[in-house]
Amino acid sequence: MSGAIALVAATLAVPVTAGAGATGATGGDTEYLVLLEQGADRNQAIAAVKAAGGEVVKENAHLGTLTVRAAASGFVAGVSASSAIEGAARSRPIGTVPQQKARNNVERENSLTGKTGGAASKQTAVGMDPLDAQLWGLRMVRSDLARTVQPGKKSVKVGVLDSGIDARNPDIAPNFDWKLSRNFAPDIPEIDGACEFRGCVDPVGWDDSGHGTHVAGTIGAAVNGVGVSGVAPNVTLVEIRGGQDSGYLFLGPVTDALTYAGDVGLDVVNMSFYVDPWLYNCTANPADSPEAQAEQRTIIRAMNRALNYAHKRGVTLVGSLGNNHEDLGKPRTDISSPDFPPGTAYPRPIDNATCVDLPVEGPHVIGVSALGPSTKKADYSNYGLEQIEVSAPGGWFRDYFGTPMFRTNENLILSTYPVNTLQAEGLVDAAGNITPDGVALGAQKQCPAGVTDYTKCGYYYVLQGTSMASPHATGVAALIVSEYGKKNRGDYGMDPDKVGRILMDTAQARACPVPPLQTYTNEGRSEEFNALCEGTREFNGFYGHGIVDAYAAVTRH
């Protein structure tokens, strides 16, 4: 849905002046997202915010939301009493002690053990890049074959709603769209640390986390004779950053990014995250306080509006199923929420009928489970008939139990990674060289011919997770739009429902294991990881409609 695009974000994330209802006499140390009732009077809503002690600092008119600063307590109940307000949700604090979201030990499991992989293969295939021989995921989804038919079109634009993208990487740079890329998540020093850039706004093309850059490389790293290539190596990558440096993705930046994706005509958006602070948002969980219940209802409604808005404007939405090793239709007690502020989580029994994991359980989102190189469901991956659509390579460190491949880096997903992040973690030194720890943990470096400035070299790292599976499916979706999309009133695109149908119809069907109860005790997991695969060969809880297949998607429809 790209082409001659008019940037119509003038009504998105617009500051509200004092004359429009903001006031210096109100406000506070906490940020909220306020959701207006459909068709409500805007001035009445702003007056309600002011009466509850809030200060409006930003507005998303397309979704009917206001970003507000107010006191840490009492605001949600106060503003929700207005007939113009559907609800309010605490978004993030302003002025607390610096905190970091806990590292996801699933994605970096190889760093928790002393055993790692051996030397990388040097084999290179035609139409591939030097490190592609290590990308078993590309071969599993048959991107190596698909690119001989359809490598993707520049006119197809893929949004990466994540932590940012390091556009310095020579595999990212050729496909990165500087004009359309946006950062919707300014740094908050109290949780992200000291600001590195003026105004506490990281420029587009920058990523301190590494997560978004890894995702982007899997989707669309260019074929250029350096490093790796992506599933759809010729499509355009657009950063729509909604994540903090600290790893959190809060409601306001996420909904703003989704609105923008619809406004500027992105074709596909990858979402490898859940919206903080609740793993599951429930409408009326007895374990939660009345204020927490009201906040979660607002999060559900705001996310549904944003997802519906993007879908209606032609955006195919792809999301990771999550790394909590559970059947999303039969969720366990949530012991991790709220994950912000740290240390505030408490046990929350989850009712499947009234609780959702967002965005993957939201409307129009294609849910993706994660597989290891053997095609077994990775032990960490969520699953279940209720939410899964397809499966894809996500990496599994513990795959191939009983063989030399068990617990090796070769079982993980290699992709692009920011050098600044690797340096911060001690995996690359100040001169840009991979350290011994970096070598052991799978970091790699390749420089284009004649390049001596290490910041212009490509850096690569291995991770695992459903966050790594989703971009494989996103890349295939982008190839589908490239192959079958059409111009319509000057834009290039495709109905997202048709994209999803082709993605699912051309997936490689895979039956449940025999016996269907998959245990992971040999791999060192507790019985909590045991997973029951339900369904048929055509559709089941582990694989959905099957493993995404790029070649079939662009040749068999």
Side-chain angles (χ1 to χ4, degrees), residues 324-403:
N324 206 38
H325 57 276
E326 66 182 330
D327 184 334
L328 286 177
K330 304 168 186 176
R332 301 190 305 272
T333 296
D334 174 16
I335 60 173
S336 65
S337 301
D339 66 0
F340 192 90
T344 59
Y346 53 89
R348 307 170 62 235
I350 299 300
D351 171 34
N352 185 56
T354 58
C355 301
V356 287
D357 180 356
L358 292 169
V360 73
E361 291 191 285
H364 312 297
V365 179
I366 298 169
V368 187
S369 69
L371 310 176
S374 70
T375 72
K376 289 183 179 179
K377 185 192 82 69
D379 56 4
Y380 57 79
S381 179
N382 288 347
Y383 59 98
L385 291 169
E386 185 175 293
Q387 297 302 334
I388 193 172
E389 269 77 40
V390 291
S391 52
W396 183 24
F397 189 59
R398 303 187 188 209
D399 207 351
Y400 294 120
F401 173 77
T403 77

Side-chain angles (χ1 to χ4, degrees), residues 30 60 96 101 103 127 161 170 174 176 180 199 246 290 307 351 355 394 425-426 490 495 497 523 545 557:
T30 302
N60 183 331
T96 59
K101 186 174 182 179
R103 281 289 185 188
L161 206 177
F176 189 77
L180 285 183
S246 50
L307 293 167
D351 171 34
C355 301
E425 296 172 357
D495 180 348
D497 291 332
E523 290 81 5
H545 292 276
H557 177 64

Side-chain angles (χ1 to χ4, degrees), residues 7 10 31 67 156 211 233 247 259 276 327 360 386 436 478 481:
L7 298 184
E31 185 174 287
T67 300
V156 173
H211 193 274
T259 306
D276 293 301
D327 184 334
V360 73
E386 185 175 293
V481 179

